[in-house]
Amino acid sequence: MGSTSFTNPYAIEVIRMKKSELVNGISNTEDLLDLLIANGVLQPDSRAMMSSITAQEEKNSRMLNVLIARGERACRIFFYPCLKRAEPDLYQHMRTYVGGVNEGIKDARRQLIGYLLEKDKQGLVKYSKSTKELNPERIQPKSIRNEATSSTERKQIPKSEGDHDAILRAISSGDLHLLQELIKGLDVNSSRSSSDSLLHLAAEYGKEAIVYFLLRQGAKLNLKDTEGRTALHRASERGHTDVALALVKAGADLHATDHTSKTPLHLAAQNQHESTVKALVLEEKKSLKNQTTVLHMAAIEDEAKLAEVLLRNGASVDTRDGQRKTALYHAVRHGNEKAAAVLLKAGAQVDSVIVDAAFELNRKSLLSLFLRYVQMSMSQSEMNSALFKAVRRNLDGVVAALIAHGADVNSFNELGYTPLLLAAELGNAEALKVLVSKKARLDEKLPNQISALHLAIQSGSMQIAQILLDKGIDPNISGPKDQTPLHLSASHNQPALMALLLRVGAQINSITQDGLTPLHLASQSGHTEAVAQLLEAKADLHVKDKQGRTALHWAAAHGEVGVIQLLLAAGADPNASEKEKKTPLHLAAMEGHTKAVSALMAGKAKVGAKDMDGCSPLHYAARSGKERAAGVLLASGKSMNVDDKNVWRRTPLHLAAEHGHETLVDLLLKNGAKINSLDNNKDTPLHCACRDGHVETVQRLINWTNGERANLQATNKVKKTALQVAVLEDTPDHQIITTLLKKKMFLVK
């Protein structure tokens, strides 16, 4: 947009149009920021934001963007007086430009040029006693301060006592004219022998006009004296509210601390200058967001009286710091009960983060205080929920405080746990002790019938189990499927807990709904230590479960050699049969547990034992393809068992062929198995292999030459040869078998 068409030169539009020139033309950026802050256009924390930007053009651009965002008034003050003082040449250029584009506009008062003309007519605004704000003309930029004297030529404050006294009298009496004469050409930041700067003295005496004058002369706001105090500390300590406000508005650090960690607000409150406290609290609210406030500091240091003064004078009780934490959070986290009481009384909000902080501390006195204030705002379900949370984290102090303030010690959560059941499951003994002392019911169970004692066994907590037993819980209390705590300790291999339970009367041969004893469970899990302990306590070796299985059956089925040896040594029957007449050897062979097979055979287990279907252990090894177990059985020297037939007259070779275990077919044939043995259907092993399409097995059978050979012409009960059986199926494997047999029978080349 060119100047000819720009007909609305408001300040904000001029900055937008001329932003590039302004960004490149402003060289005294820091001076300009000083002026913008002094005139209330920018907040003091803007300097911190800008200081992170090193490139001047980028800093200028950011500053202009902020001004545009703040609106027309901020942009006007930017041009006058700020730009005029910091960059007079650039200001004149902008004024000339605006005057040109403004030509022909009747209502010039609303445009930037009208504003500038009006301000120029008024001239400098003089300081008035009634003025409470820092006037636009009061602070000059560094580039034009003391133009006649460079920083290297400035003189120090005179060191003679007479000069000191004269300056002190001028400041204490508020004689600005005299002070101007006395320090003409001198460095206003040079300290006297006491380390007090002139600004310290003016602030201490409450001389507002002199403070403004010194600020215009470049007085540094945050210089510290020998006690580490700034001018703002001095003004606040003596209750000079107007001076304190002037310093804060000029950028003084409201949170600067002295050598005793006191801020200006601390000193104002300490000396009961409540009007100063109120004014500074208001400034803190306006200038600081998401930063640590003096109320946060009071909470951290447990300064309850300071917190009371701050809250009484307008401090926001729930203001959050940079970590989004309130003062109450810090008071609770540090265990500061006095400060926490003040904040809670003032209505501080309690959220889950603060509750967690209270829980972490686990101090009963603080929790009782805390709960007194929040109890009325918490429902019964919320109190109970907090109790479960405390139990889960084993916070005994929290548990005690919550119960004392109304939480139900026997409440249930959504999963059916009581606090006691939860403590037992987690092994949280400290929480459980409190719950027991508060009359928690010991006999409550989960929906699946697990008791607290069962849960203690599961968690392996001897301490909790001992507490529960000492308080009278039944050591034989039933759990899921009538499983007792002793069953559970046996299956988890916990000898110490087993000993404890047996000592207080646990029944060693108690059975579950499935007929399992603790010895059954320990045996099937392979827990040799638990088995040994149960055997020593005279557990019955011969008890059978609902399947008719003894502990030895279960040890064999799981291949637990160590347990098998313990049970056999204690007198277990190696040939005991279960409901289907299977012996432990049948089960070990079926699963291919070779070492278990050997251990059982060493204990006089019968290799030729038959189950209700007439199957021997070798039948099961052959059917399952357990070659090594079959090898052990065959190596026993009782080779007559190799052709044992079951009720369907099938030999182990039939089963190996039917299931395609070609290596087992070889093993059985090498051990004398009859290759053409017939079952009830007059099927040979070759018929079985052909029917199920086992190519490799068929090859082994038809190529066997060591002794009797496979009869390719043998027909079964329905007059089918092996070839005819193979032809009936139309899979690729059956087609291969058909071809193999035809070639073997010279039916094809």
Side-chain angles (χ1 to χ4, degrees):
M1 184 172 6
S3 63
T4 57
S5 61
F6 185 49
T7 59
N8 189 32
Y10 287 96
I12 195 168
E13 295 298 336
V14 173
I15 291 179
R16 287 185 177 132
M17 284 295 299
K18 291 293 185 179
K19 185 176 178 182
S20 179
E21 289 184 44
L22 289 168
V23 167
N24 294 313
I26 296 171
S27 57
N28 296 314
T29 307
E30 297 301 324
D31 293 336
L32 194 51
L33 281 170
D34 283 342
L35 289 163
L36 289 168
I37 292 170
N39 283 277
V41 176
L42 300 179
Q43 294 295 330
D45 57 0
S46 297
R47 178 175 295 285
M49 179 184 72
M50 298 292 183
S51 65
S52 63
I53 304 172
T54 54
Q56 184 157 341
E57 290 183 1
E58 185 183 349
K59 187 179 291 188
N60 290 341
S61 178
R62 177 72 64 86
M63 176 176 64
L64 294 174
N65 288 339
V66 172
L67 290 169
I68 291 170
R70 288 185 178 273
E72 177 67 16
R73 180 179 177 277
C75 293
R76 287 191 177 198
I77 295 174
F78 161 74
F79 282 107
Y80 189 97
C82 302
L83 186 65
K84 182 174 182 180
R85 289 194 167 275
E87 303 283 357
D89 293 340
L90 185 58
Y91 168 79
Q92 288 301 330
H93 174 70
M94 289 293 139
R95 179 176 165 174
T96 302
Y97 164 73
V98 176
V101 299
N102 196 66
E103 191 175 334
I105 297 178
K106 294 180 180 180
D107 189 11
R109 290 173 301 171
R110 297 187 62 203
Q111 318 306 323
L112 179 58
I113 187 62
Y115 171 76
L116 297 180
L117 290 171
E118 183 180 341
K119 289 295 182 181
D120 280 342
K121 285 178 184 177
Q122 291 175 1
L124 294 177
V125 180
K126 301 297 183 182
Y127 170 76
S128 166
K129 281 283 184 184
S130 62
T131 306
K132 299 299 180 187
E133 300 290 337
L134 192 61
N135 288 325
E137 304 296 329
R138 287 181 177 166
I139 298 182
Q140 300 176 14
K142 297 174 186 174
S143 59
I144 58 174
R145 290 179 192 142
N146 300 320
E147 293 175 359
T149 308
S150 70
S151 60
T152 56
E153 296 170 337
R154 286 181 186 151
K155 300 176 184 177
Q156 299 296 308
I157 296 295
K159 297 300 179 185
S160 70
E161 193 62 37
D163 290 332
H164 286 161
D165 291 344
I167 290 171
L168 183 58
R169 281 196 300 274
I171 293 175
S172 62
S173 64
D175 191 337
L176 178 59
H177 180 72
L178 175 60
L179 181 65
Q180 287 173 323
E181 292 300 318
L182 288 171
I183 67 169
K184 198 169 186 178
L186 302 178
D187 182 359
V188 295
N189 291 308
S190 176
S191 64
R192 301 167 66 245
S193 58
S194 65
S195 84
D196 292 344
S197 70
L198 299 182
L199 191 61
H200 277 96
L201 296 171
E204 182 170 353
Y205 285 106
K207 302 304 178 183
E208 190 179 359
I210 291 178
V211 167
Y212 283 131
F213 165 72
L214 292 172
L215 291 174
R216 290 198 302 275
Q217 300 306 309
K220 294 179 180 177
L221 285 161
N222 295 315
L223 286 177
K224 292 190 174 184
D225 62 15
T226 54
E227 294 179 307
R229 294 181 176 180
T230 64
L232 182 56
H233 278 92
R234 296 283 187 91
S236 302
E237 183 179 26
R238 286 161 178 76
H240 299 314
T241 304
D242 289 342
V243 172
L245 281 174
L247 291 167
V248 171
K249 289 178 182 293
D253 184 0
L254 187 57
H255 298 103
T257 55
D258 63 13
H259 294 334
T260 61
S261 299
K262 303 293 185 186
T263 67
L265 258 169
H266 278 84
L267 299 180
Q270 184 176 296
N271 289 281
Q272 301 179 5
H273 300 309
E274 297 219 5
S275 62
T276 306
V277 173
K278 190 168 188 174
L280 292 179
V281 165
L282 182 61
E283 287 304 310
E284 185 182 56
K285 279 184 178 180
K286 290 193 298 186
S287 62
L288 292 174
K289 295 182 190 291
N290 296 333
Q291 292 187 30
T292 300
T293 66
V294 178
L295 186 61
H296 287 97
M297 297 179 186
I300 291 169
E301 298 299 327
D302 203 19
E303 296 184 88
K305 289 184 179 179
L306 173 60
E308 284 179 343
V309 174
L310 293 169
L311 292 165
R312 189 164 61 241
N313 287 282
S316 297
V317 70
D318 291 317
T319 297
R320 296 183 181 273
D321 60 15
Q323 297 179 331
R324 305 297 300 155
K325 300 295 190 297
T326 64
L328 180 58
Y329 168 82
H330 290 295
V332 171
R333 180 174 174 272
H334 288 84
N336 296 335
E337 296 181 27
K338 293 178 182 177
V342 169
L343 294 164
L344 287 164
K345 188 176 180 180
Q349 292 182 359
V350 178
D351 57 22
S352 60
V353 176
I354 294 174
V355 172
D356 284 346
F359 280 16
E360 284 292 343
L361 199 64
N362 196 22
R363 186 190 299 170
K364 187 175 178 180
S365 57
L366 177 65
L367 286 159
S368 295
L369 163 72
F370 182 76
L371 289 168
R372 276 203 304 274
Y373 283 96
V374 302
Q375 184 179 3
M376 298 303 295
S377 63
M378 292 179 73
S379 66
Q380 184 65 53
S381 64
E382 288 173 328
M383 290 287 284
N384 293 343
S385 177
L387 177 59
F388 279 100
K389 191 172 187 178
V391 169
R392 187 174 292 111
R393 295 164 71 173
N394 201 25
L395 303 174
D396 53 332
V398 181
V399 171
L402 284 166
I403 295 171
H405 287 83
D408 183 359
V409 70
N410 292 307
S411 58
F412 289 89
N413 68 8
E414 64 280 1
L415 297 176
Y417 283 84
T418 64
L420 182 77
L421 289 168
L422 182 61
E425 180 176 81
L426 298 176
N428 292 342
E430 299 308 314
L432 185 128
K433 288 177 187 176
V434 175
L435 293 166
V436 170
S437 71
K438 298 295 181 180
K439 309 303 179 186
R441 288 195 292 268
L442 302 182
D443 56 353
E444 292 289 359
K445 295 181 180 180
L446 289 174
N448 63 0
Q449 296 304 300
I450 289 182
S451 72
L453 186 55
H454 285 87
L455 293 170
I457 301 298
Q458 280 185 354
S459 68
S461 176
M462 173 70 79
Q463 186 179 9
I464 290 179
Q466 185 73 66
I467 292 170
L468 294 171
L469 290 165
D470 288 346
K471 289 296 179 179
I473 196 169
D474 182 2
N476 294 300
I477 188 170
S478 63
K481 293 188 174 182
D482 292 337
Q483 192 177 69
T484 67
L486 187 62
H487 283 99
L488 206 57
S489 62
S491 64
H492 284 78
N493 197 31
Q494 296 165 322
L497 281 164
M498 289 172 61
L500 171 64
L501 291 165
L502 290 168
R503 192 164 58 247
V504 296
Q507 295 174 8
I508 196 168
N509 294 314
S510 57
I511 58 172
T512 67
Q513 290 176 8
D514 295 322
L516 297 168
T517 66
L519 185 60
H520 280 100
L521 296 176
S523 297
Q524 67 183 205
S525 298
H527 298 322
T528 54
E529 193 173 357
V531 168
Q533 186 171 355
L534 290 166
L535 292 174
E536 187 177 348
K538 307 304 180 185
D540 190 343
L541 289 163
H542 308 297
V543 176
K544 293 186 177 183
D545 63 15
K546 285 198 171 180
Q547 297 181 64
R549 294 184 176 184
T550 64
L552 186 59
H553 278 93
W554 283 111
H558 290 86
E560 301 297 344
V561 178
V563 174
I564 290 170
Q565 291 170 337
L566 281 173
L567 293 170
L568 289 171
D573 181 2
N575 296 304
S577 60
E578 36 100 287
K579 282 193 173 181
E580 295 181 349
K581 304 299 182 183
K582 292 184 180 69
T583 66
L585 189 58
H586 281 93
L587 301 180
M590 182 189 306
E591 300 299 332
H593 298 311
T594 308
K595 291 182 179 179
V597 168
S598 296
L600 288 164
M601 289 174 64
K604 308 302 181 184
K606 295 177 180 178
V607 176
K610 300 286 187 74
D611 68 4
M612 62 188 299
D613 293 323
C615 292
S616 68
L618 185 58
H619 278 91
Y620 282 104
R623 184 182 187 281
S624 303
K626 307 302 182 184
E627 182 182 353
R628 293 176 62 193
V632 172
L633 292 167
L634 290 166
S636 66
K638 299 177 182 179
S639 59
M640 71 285 295
N641 295 313
V642 73
D643 286 319
D644 277 350
K645 294 188 176 184
N646 62 19
V647 294
W648 298 283
R649 299 190 60 77
R650 288 190 163 189
T651 64
L653 185 59
H654 279 94
L655 297 179
E658 181 180 40
H659 290 89
H661 302 310
E662 62 271 5
T663 54
L664 252 172
V665 167
D666 271 350
L667 178 64
L668 291 166
L669 289 171
K670 287 175 182 177
N671 279 273
K674 294 177 181 178
I675 196 169
N676 293 310
S677 180
L678 301 177
D679 66 10
N680 278 354
N681 294 315
K682 294 189 176 180
D683 282 327
T684 65
L686 183 58
H687 281 90
C688 296
C690 289
R691 181 176 293 110
D692 286 282
H694 299 307
V695 177
E696 292 294 329
T697 304
V698 169
Q699 285 182 318
R700 298 288 177 95
L701 288 166
I702 64 176
N703 292 326
W704 178 254
T705 59
N706 188 11
E708 185 182 7
R709 298 192 179 192
N711 183 1
L712 304 183
Q713 301 296 335
T715 59
N716 61 15
K717 210 168 188 178
V718 292
K719 307 302 182 183
K720 300 289 185 185
T721 64
L723 174 59
Q724 290 170 322
V725 168
V727 171
L728 290 175
E729 303 293 336
D730 193 26
T731 69
D733 285 340
H734 285 91
Q735 290 171 4
I736 294 171
I737 290 171
T738 299
T739 303
L740 285 172
L741 289 170
K742 284 181 177 180
K743 287 182 178 180
K744 196 71 174 176
M745 298 169 72
F746 303 105
L747 298 176
V748 295
K749 290 184 179 181

